[in-house]
């Protein structure tokens, strides 16, 4: 079965798609709409998902994420998978489509945030941003702001991006911390000059926070 699926993925490979993806650090050339359509045909198959993951192929791993049962993984399995998922798209899908739906999500969030590997830590920060937005009870928001203030400026790209998202989320969702979040963003100037297309919100936290809050209040 794995060989058949791998052959289907190979048939979907498009050099133009690969060229675009490689600019973003991803090494596959499969159109994601077509990949999702293939996942829909296969439906949920946990065993096949694990076999596809083990191939190490990026497109196969993305497909594996779409056909797995998120709650079927134990904590150690997800920790191992996250450490294997070095590419941005694989990590993003694994965190959003699997880890967030798994009962071990909070334990993994804490483990990953404290990890010395910045790519692993970026997954922990992505999960922290989710909690800031949806389940902030029990989070030490001033402590998160302290960490961001101390570490974001010099963090490697992906970790910096994840911490910046958390900073913006705190500013957007928690009015009592908004002024501090904006002032941290202004002082650190992270992503201040990031090229932003028209009609898109800048990832520079002070601009991002101000714009989203303005929209939420219908101004």
């Amino acid at each position: 079965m794995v060989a058949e699926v791998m052959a289907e993925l190979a048939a979907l490979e498009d050099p133009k798609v690969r060229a675009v993806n490689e600019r973003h650090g991803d090494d596959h050339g499969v159109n994601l709409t077509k990949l999702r359509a293939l996942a829909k045909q296969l439906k949920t198959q946990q065993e096949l998902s694990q076999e596809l993951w083990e191939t190490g192929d990026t497109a196969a791993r993305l497909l594996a994420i779409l056909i797995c049962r998120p709650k079927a993984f134990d904590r150690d399995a997800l920790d191992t998978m996250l450490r294997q998922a070095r590419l941005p798209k694989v990590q993003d899908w694994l965190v959003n489509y699997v880890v967030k739906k798994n009962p071990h999500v909070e334990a993994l969030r804490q483990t990953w945030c404290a990890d010395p590997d910045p790519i692993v830590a970026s997954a922990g920060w992505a999960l922290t941003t989710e909690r800031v937005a949806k389940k902030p009870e029990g989070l030490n928001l001033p402590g998160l702001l302290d960490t961001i203030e101390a570490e974001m400026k010099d963090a490697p790209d992906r970790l910096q991006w994840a911490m910046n998202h958390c900073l913006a989320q705190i500013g957007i969702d928690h009015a009592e911390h908004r002024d501090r979040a904006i002032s941290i963003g202004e002082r650190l100037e992270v992503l201040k000059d990031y090229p932003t297309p028209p009609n898109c919100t800048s990832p520079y936290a002070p601009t991002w926070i101000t714009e989203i809050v303005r929209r939420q209040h219908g101004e």
Side-chain angles (χ1 to χ4, degrees):
M1 184 66 179
V2 173
E4 290 168 34
V5 175
M6 294 302 289
E8 286 195 60
L9 288 171
L12 292 173
E13 176 76 21
D14 181 332
K16 288 180 185 164
V17 173
R18 178 176 284 273
V20 171
N21 287 335
E22 284 179 345
R23 287 204 292 276
H24 298 107
D26 291 305
D27 64 350
H28 75 93
V30 177
N31 176 290
L32 295 180
T33 304
K34 292 178 180 173
L35 189 80
R36 290 179 190 280
L38 178 57
K40 212 168 177 181
Q41 285 172 26
L42 291 168
K43 301 191 171 66
T44 302
Q45 295 191 50
Q46 181 67 10
E47 194 175 327
L48 175 60
S49 165
Q50 289 173 294
E51 290 171 3
L52 287 169
W53 183 271
E54 291 302 324
T55 67
D57 177 80
T58 298
R61 284 186 164 178
L62 292 172
L63 183 61
I65 289 166
L66 294 177
I67 65 168
C68 77
R69 280 203 325 274
K71 291 181 176 149
F73 297 99
D74 64 25
R75 177 181 165 175
D76 289 346
L78 288 176
D79 185 63
T80 299
M81 288 168 75
L82 193 276
R83 291 170 196 280
Q84 293 169 340
R86 305 301 290 177
L87 300 176
K89 184 63 74 179
V90 180
Q91 176 172 319
D92 183 49
W93 280 23
L94 182 66
V95 169
N96 283 299
Y97 298 165
V98 183
V99 179
K100 284 181 182 177
K101 298 174 183 175
N102 184 276
H104 300 290
V105 59
E106 179 56 19
L108 289 168
R109 181 188 76 79
Q110 293 180 27
T111 299
W112 292 342
C113 272
D115 200 279
D117 182 329
I119 292 179
V120 174
S122 72
W125 279 93
L127 293 172
T128 301
T129 302
E130 173 91 349
R131 266 204 67 186
V132 166
K134 295 185 176 172
K135 286 191 289 186
E137 301 77 19
L139 277 182
N140 178 1
L141 297 179
L144 287 174
L145 290 173
D146 290 345
T147 303
I148 291 166
E149 189 167 22
E151 299 175 14
M152 181 170 75
K153 181 82 171 174
D154 299 318
D157 283 357
R158 278 162 66 183
L159 178 55
Q160 184 184 69
W161 191 271
M163 292 175 100
N164 184 69
H165 189 177
C166 190
L167 175 66
Q169 204 69 51
I170 292 171
I172 290 163
D173 289 334
H174 300 278
E176 68 277 23
H177 299 295
R178 187 169 296 145
D179 287 348
R180 186 178 174 207
I182 289 172
S183 74
I184 289 170
E186 286 173 345
R187 196 159 57 257
L188 299 185
E189 297 190 334
V190 167
L191 300 173
K192 186 175 183 180
D193 300 320
Y194 192 82
T196 306
N199 303 320
C200 289
T201 304
S202 168
Y204 174 52
T207 306
W208 188 354
I209 294 166
T210 306
E211 175 61 21
I212 300 302
V213 170
R214 183 185 66 77
R215 284 187 212 164
Q216 286 174 347
H217 291 87
E219 293 168 16

